Amino acid sequence: MDRISIIQPDDWHLHLRTGSVLNAVLAHSAAQFGRAIVMPNLRPPVTTVAQAQQYRAEILNALPVDATFQPLMTLYLTGATSAEEIAAVAAAEFVHGFKLYPAGATTNSEHGVADIHKVYPLFAQMEKLGVPLLLHGEVTDSDYDIFDREKIFIDTHLTAITREFPALKIVLEHLTTQQAVEFVSAANINVAATITPQHLKFNRNAMLAGGIRPHFYCLPILKRETHRLALVAAATSGNAKFFLGTDSAPHLTGLKEAACGCAGCYNAPVALALYAEVFDQAGALDKLEGFASFYGADFYGLPRNTQRITLQKQPWRVPDAYPLGADTITPLLAGESLSWQLVA
């Protein structure tokens, strides 16, 4: 099979930034996806419904004139989040959950939650009002190996959260390990997960073997091949608990290729091509539409899209970089060839 038509996908985990970066990257996501859950870790973070409304307006104003893309907003959960703000989210049709960053876990997470037990009352309010919790599932204690932090978060926190709040809708974002796949698979129907194209396609060799390749550096970090295979099995299984979330995260090339390169893969230009390659290699192209187009919408209680897109197996070369003022943004797999592409 070298050509498939599917209902237009959605991206259930996307970083768009703001200002000039937003203007440079938005069209890449809008060309492929109907909607996207937009992450709130700006500087300053998006912590109120009023701020989310302003950010949404900025995104809509930056869209190409013919784009139908819809941003689905989230708020950044902090220790100062109030019960009143949770109620405001429940009443706001354009806000679809709270994102919990453990403090220090990833880019712009310094305002995150330092003690998860202290926000249990907020979880109770979210459970009561049907507001989803989106989790960056890693511990941040420096005593723990970076490759084990997702598993330890599940053992230390997520098991307890799902036990204490069984009706709370939880999305474990960008899961990366076999243990995470097993946990989500066994959890109740209110627990789901997103999977990125880089974690499906690559293991940690892509980042470290033959020299450090900073554009593969993301958090959670790429793992062993056994974990990648577990993710592929989950994504291609037809299990509705697992759905598409790119975690596309643009950074200026100069900040990625630095002595202390920042975390995040800018995969928006190549996301659907990579997902199609993975599903094709697994002999599961018939499962791509569910993973990409149906399961996320169903979990969030939103209607499925009705427009269709076509993907074709035809080689193309990823651009070396995209201009942004005096700097550039380098996409994942810059300069390399991919076998699938979106047919305009």
Side-chain angles (χ1 to χ4, degrees):
M1 185 183 299
D2 59 7
R3 191 179 178 94
I4 59 170
S5 174
I6 62 174
I7 292 293
Q8 186 174 30
D10 299 306
D11 185 349
W12 298 100
H13 185 123
L14 177 64
H15 297 270
L16 288 173
R17 312 306 187 201
T18 188
S20 60
V21 177
L22 166 66
N23 288 313
V25 305
L26 179 57
H28 291 145
S29 293
Q32 302 173 77
F33 300 105
R35 298 167 292 198
I37 288 282
V38 179
M39 293 295 106
N41 58 330
L42 305 182
R43 288 182 172 168
V46 179
T47 58
T48 69
V49 169
Q51 291 170 339
Q53 189 170 28
Q54 293 174 349
Y55 185 27
R56 180 175 182 270
E58 182 186 6
I59 295 168
L60 292 174
N61 287 336
L63 281 171
V65 293
D66 57 346
T68 59
F69 176 85
Q70 288 296 315
L72 310 175
M73 310 311 294
T74 60
L75 299 193
Y76 191 122
L77 189 75
T78 75
T81 299
S82 67
E84 291 76 17
E85 201 64 49
I86 294 172
V89 167
E93 292 186 359
F94 62 91
V95 184
H96 295 270
F98 278 91
K99 179 63 182 284
L100 189 156
Y101 293 98
T106 189
T107 303
N108 298 347
S109 62
E110 59 269 22
H111 300 284
V113 175
D115 186 343
I116 290 178
H117 289 95
K118 289 185 177 179
V119 295
Y120 270 31
L122 301 180
F123 294 163
Q125 179 77 347
M126 293 167 66
E127 181 183 44
K128 177 182 177 182
L129 296 179
V131 175
L133 173 65
L134 287 56
L135 284 172
H136 182 113
E138 291 189 289
V139 295
T140 57
D141 192 314
S142 60
D143 290 341
Y144 296 122
D145 190 292
I146 192 170
F147 292 101
D148 297 330
R149 291 180 181 182
E150 183 177 87
K151 177 186 182 300
I152 294 168
F153 182 91
I154 293 170
D155 294 342
T156 305
H157 297 296
L158 190 53
T159 299
I161 293 169
T162 55
R163 182 177 62 246
E164 293 292 324
F165 308 100
L168 177 62
K169 297 197 79 168
I170 296 172
V171 181
L172 181 58
E173 304 279 16
H174 43 50
L175 83 173
T176 65
T177 60
Q178 181 178 346
Q179 291 88 351
V181 168
E182 292 169 352
F183 179 87
V184 172
S185 297
N188 69 51
I189 60 171
N190 293 312
V191 178
T194 57
I195 308 178
T196 77
Q198 62 265 24
H199 291 106
L200 280 176
K201 181 71 174 174
F202 305 106
N203 62 38
R204 62 191 187 181
N205 284 351
M207 180 179 60
L208 298 171
I212 294 175
R213 301 176 70 190
H215 295 286
F216 284 89
Y217 173 54
C218 58
L219 291 172
I221 202 163
L222 297 176
K223 302 296 196 300
R224 290 180 180 273
E225 177 68 2
T226 53
H227 296 297
R228 188 192 72 83
L229 292 174
L231 297 182
V232 172
T236 61
S237 67
N239 185 337
K241 284 174 166 280
F242 302 100
F243 43 83
L244 185 157
T246 66
D247 193 22
S248 182
H251 294 280
L252 297 180
T253 301
L255 296 177
K256 286 290 289 181
E257 299 174 1
C260 186
C262 47
C265 298
Y266 183 52
N267 63 37
V270 301
L272 282 184
L274 284 178
Y275 283 120
E277 281 195 5
V278 170
F279 278 71
D280 186 18
Q281 290 165 358
L285 279 173
D286 61 318
K287 298 293 197 304
L288 178 60
E289 186 173 46
F291 173 82
S293 310
F294 296 160
Y295 303 152
D298 296 347
F299 184 83
Y300 278 95
L302 296 171
R304 296 175 176 180
N305 295 323
T306 56
Q307 291 182 285
R308 303 189 72 84
I309 64 163
T310 299
L311 292 162
Q312 184 168 314
K313 196 169 187 178
Q314 181 177 335
W316 63 286
R317 185 181 180 277
V318 181
D320 293 326
Y322 297 97
L324 179 58
D327 209 321
T328 60
I329 297 174
T330 300
L332 189 66
L333 297 175
E336 299 189 31
S337 179
L338 295 178
S339 58
W340 283 86
Q341 62 177 287
L342 178 68
V343 179

